[in-house]
Amino acid sequence: MSLSFLEPRNGRSTADVVKFALWPLAIMTVINRVVIKAVNGDITNDFNPVYNAALAFLNRQPVYTANFDSVDPHYLYQPSATMLLSPLAVIDPERSRWLFIIASTVAILVALYILLRIFGFRLDSVAAPALLLAAFVSETVTNTLVFTNFNGFVLLGEVAFIGFLLQRKDLSAGVAMGLTLAIKPMLAPLLLLPLMTRQWRVFVTSIAVPVVMMAIAWPLSVDPMDFIDRTLPYLLQTRDYFNSAVVGNGLYYGIPDLLLLAIRVVLGLMVVVSMWLLYRYCREDRLFFFATASGLILTAHWLLGSLGQMYYSMMLFPLLMTVVLKNSLIRNWPAWLAIYGFMNADRWLSGRFVETGRALDYMRTTFGWSLLIIVIFAVLIGRYLAARQDGRLDDGIEPDYLLEDSRAGKTTKTG
């Protein structure tokens, strides 16, 4: 029996060693999250309300009957979502949940693969196991599977949307976006991206798909108006539990409304300025622009809106992948301190330092999203000021070393 695969005579490169180390870690982490943690479940169960709503829909019974005075997960999806998710109730809830976990895992894996390809990596690269491990060890993927919610499919829709935008397959991008909007309109703010790049055909299918789905589902629902009269007003309210938005934590800790407004205005202005700089100077670098702007838009949406939950951060994977780009805005330690805040699964509750531990645990997502916005703003402003001082704004705001690399590349090709 040959054992040469354990240590070949020609040795291994550093990249090979890292890949061999990361793949077992990544694969075993995926198995643990899916087979153990997800199947075990948690007190929080986002699947039960969906299953019950699907069962009610199939049996022509009212769907929107949730008691909003409780803090249990509620069914908050629109009628089109109820119709599309109704096949979940064809079988018993336990097997349905297991199948949903498997389907969600597949959706996340496909999304990660597409993300790899968008950034120019293959499965035989070091980036593949690194991304897989980082994703499945994170709080956002872990709790998406454990709580059994729909966010894995939203991630797939987001990555497909960005991929089709990059390829200028606008109608397909609209379909990817429209399917997510028909169930969970979390990504709606990302329609700013094709608006900024004038890819108008995206709006044809992104609007048509959810409208058609809603038109079909509305007469099939017993109580569709209750979604408008009961559920929609609840969605527009700010709740003070399980809410990492500025206003959510502000309500929980009793922070004055004027201070909350000031925080939101300052952070909002940072987002507007950052988006303007990205649009004005970076939109020609389409991969950098779409991946960075998508993350900034969604972070602002959750942080400055009425509701933001930690596991939404899965949708920031495209932004986090920009770290491999030379002009990335997150190649600095404050950015990764921010990312730790909303990605890591560590708990900070302390038996010795009760109040401090609770504040750190409850606020770390809010602080992380806030710091991410501040870092992006600071890096872009720094680049803009440096380019203006050097009189090179006409060439963009890329750092000097990137411009030098670009000039060197052109010289080499010319030579």
Side-chain angles (χ1 to χ4, degrees):
M1 176 179 178
S2 174
L3 299 178
S4 61
F5 73 96
L6 293 175
E7 190 171 25
R9 293 182 179 180
N10 59 353
R12 301 197 192 279
S13 66
T14 301
D16 285 338
V17 171
V18 172
K19 282 191 292 183
F20 279 115
L22 289 180
W23 271 120
L25 297 176
I27 292 171
M28 295 308 296
T29 300
V30 172
I31 294 173
N32 173 266
R33 296 305 188 265
V34 176
V35 178
I36 305 300
K37 287 186 176 293
V39 171
N40 286 348
D42 195 82
I43 295 175
T44 301
N45 187 333
D46 293 339
F47 183 76
N48 275 353
V50 174
Y51 184 89
N52 292 335
L55 186 62
F57 178 85
L58 291 180
N59 288 284
R60 301 291 295 166
Q61 295 176 354
V63 170
Y64 301 103
T65 59
N67 175 16
F68 295 132
D69 293 330
S70 74
V71 298
D72 295 329
H74 306 304
Y75 184 73
L76 304 174
Y77 295 164
Q78 62 264 35
S80 58
T82 309
M83 179 185 70
L84 292 171
L85 294 172
S86 61
L88 291 173
V90 171
I91 59 176
D92 64 274
E94 183 175 30
R95 285 188 297 171
S96 179
R97 180 175 175 271
W98 290 356
L99 289 175
F100 190 88
I101 290 169
I102 293 171
S104 182
T105 303
V106 171
I108 294 170
L109 292 174
V110 173
L112 295 178
Y113 175 74
I114 295 173
L115 199 57
L116 276 175
R117 301 301 296 148
I118 286 174
F119 281 85
F121 294 104
R122 296 156 48 99
L123 287 178
D124 58 0
S125 67
V126 176
L131 177 61
L132 185 63
L133 176 61
F136 275 83
V137 82
S138 69
E139 184 276 346
T140 179
V141 169
T142 299
N143 280 345
T144 290
L145 295 174
V146 171
F147 299 163
T148 321
N149 61 52
F150 192 73
N151 290 346
F153 300 95
V154 179
L155 174 67
L156 178 57
E158 178 195 14
V159 173
F161 174 69
I162 292 175
F164 286 131
L165 283 181
L166 288 168
Q167 298 172 23
R168 297 189 180 276
K169 296 181 178 179
D170 296 350
L171 293 177
S172 297
V175 171
M177 174 60 72
L179 288 173
T180 68
L181 297 181
I183 297 180
K184 192 170 186 177
M186 179 191 295
L187 302 180
L190 293 189
L191 288 173
L192 282 172
L193 297 178
L195 183 66
M196 296 171 78
T197 55
R198 301 179 182 180
Q199 292 176 252
W200 310 117
R201 292 197 302 168
V202 170
F203 295 94
V204 176
T205 44
S206 64
I207 294 173
V209 169
V211 167
V212 170
M213 292 296 102
M214 185 67 83
I216 297 172
W218 196 269
L220 298 178
S221 303
V222 173
D223 57 343
M225 283 305 301
D226 283 347
F227 173 77
I228 304 296
D229 297 333
R230 295 188 71 252
T231 305
L232 194 56
Y234 175 80
L235 287 171
L236 297 176
Q237 295 175 4
T238 299
R239 69 192 197 195
D240 60 359
Y241 63 94
F242 302 139
N243 189 357
S244 295
V246 169
V247 290
N249 268 322
L251 283 176
Y252 182 82
Y253 285 102
I255 298 173
D257 291 342
L258 190 59
L259 178 56
L260 291 178
L261 178 61
I263 293 172
R264 295 169 80 187
V265 168
V266 170
L267 289 171
L269 287 174
M270 289 184 180
V271 172
V272 170
V273 172
S274 298
M275 286 300 299
W276 182 83
L277 290 172
L278 287 169
Y279 173 76
R280 175 67 178 82
Y281 296 104
C282 306
R283 70 179 185 274
E284 298 303 322
D285 185 346
R286 289 169 58 81
L287 175 57
F288 170 77
F289 174 74
F290 283 137
T292 303
S294 66
L296 181 60
I297 290 169
L298 290 177
T299 303
H301 175 49
W302 306 324
L303 182 66
L304 307 181
S306 61
L307 176 64
Q309 295 186 290
M310 188 174 180
Y311 57 36
Y312 292 174
S313 300
M314 183 191 300
M315 311 310 154
L316 302 185
F317 283 170
L319 169 62
L320 304 191
M321 272 294 292
T322 64
V323 72
V324 303
L325 304 177
K326 289 186 176 181
N327 58 344
S328 173
L329 304 179
I330 59 171
R331 286 190 164 191
N332 53 76
W333 68 261
W336 288 91
L337 176 61
I339 292 163
Y340 173 86
F342 56 77
M343 279 290 176
N344 197 278
D346 290 348
R347 299 303 304 271
W348 285 81
L349 298 174
S350 170
R352 177 64 180 84
F353 310 102
V354 178
E355 293 301 322
T356 302
R358 182 183 292 116
L360 288 172
D361 198 60
Y362 291 178
M363 295 289 288
R364 64 192 179 97
T365 304
T366 309
F367 287 149
W369 286 342
S370 301
L371 181 56
L372 183 65
I373 288 175
I374 293 169
V375 168
I376 290 175
F377 170 79
V379 174
L380 286 171
I381 284 292
R383 290 182 181 182
Y384 172 80
L385 294 176
R388 187 176 69 174
Q389 182 178 355
D390 295 342
R392 52 180 177 84
L393 280 176
D394 290 341
D395 296 326
I397 60 173
E398 299 287 7
D400 283 336
Y401 64 87
L402 289 181
L403 293 175
E404 291 172 2
D405 289 346
S406 177
R407 295 189 192 102
K410 290 179 180 178
T411 303
T412 303
K413 288 180 181 179
T414 304

